[in-house]
Amino acid sequence: MKLIKKTLLIVFGYVLFSLVVAGLESIIVTNLGMNNYIVNNLKENIQYTLAIYIGLNFLFWGINYIYNLQTVEHLNSLLDIINEKKAKNAEHIIETEK
């Protein structure tokens, strides 16, 4: 189910990205005084919008992966500090019991 959800999210994201690119192109070209339609832009721009979308996804997934690695390293270092404090407390308790 998660795979289907992620696949639909990627496909929906691509469709939305293509519509935004085609709409912006249509607005810009129309403001320059030429007639242009979103449907024509969608047909013409399929290849490069797909390449840009895949590139952006890899970029954002890569940034997210690096950020998650840094977060995990930071949390592991904090966990090590906590474990060291617990070990010192345990040693202190054992010494006071003697």
Side-chain angles (χ1 to χ4, degrees), residues 6 26-27 34-35 43 50 61-62 84 87-88 90-91 96:
K6 287 182 180 182
S26 178
I27 290 170
M34 300 170 62
N35 289 335
K43 290 177 185 176
L50 183 60
W61 286 341
E84 288 174 5
K88 286 181 182 178
E91 290 174 3
T96 56

Side-chain angles (χ1 to χ4, degrees), residues 16-28 36-43 45 48-49:
L16 187 63
F17 179 73
S18 296
L19 285 173
V20 167
V21 169
L24 287 174
E25 186 178 347
S26 178
I27 290 170
I28 291 169
N36 198 343
Y37 300 103
I38 292 177
V39 177
N40 292 340
N41 291 339
L42 286 173
K43 290 177 185 176
N45 302 336
Y48 84 84
T49 54

Side-chain angles (χ1 to χ4, degrees), residues 8-90:
L8 287 175
L9 184 63
I10 290 171
V11 170
F12 178 72
Y14 172 69
V15 169
L16 187 63
F17 179 73
S18 296
L19 285 173
V20 167
V21 169
L24 287 174
E25 186 178 347
S26 178
I27 290 170
I28 291 169
V29 171
T30 303
N31 283 339
L32 292 174
M34 300 170 62
N35 289 335
N36 198 343
Y37 300 103
I38 292 177
V39 177
N40 292 340
N41 291 339
L42 286 173
K43 290 177 185 176
E44 294 173 1
N45 302 336
I46 288 176
Q47 290 180 343
Y48 84 84
T49 54
L50 183 60
I52 292 171
Y53 184 72
I54 290 171
L56 287 174
N57 273 320
F58 279 129
L59 176 71
F60 291 138
W61 286 341
I63 291 170
N64 189 26
Y65 181 77
I66 292 169
Y67 178 73
N68 287 339
L69 279 178
Q70 290 177 346
T71 303
V72 167
E73 288 175 0
H74 179 68
L75 290 175
N76 282 338
S77 67
L78 292 176
L79 186 60
D80 290 340
I81 293 170
I82 291 171
N83 287 336
E84 288 174 5
K85 287 182 180 180
K86 284 184 180 180
K88 286 181 182 178
N89 282 342

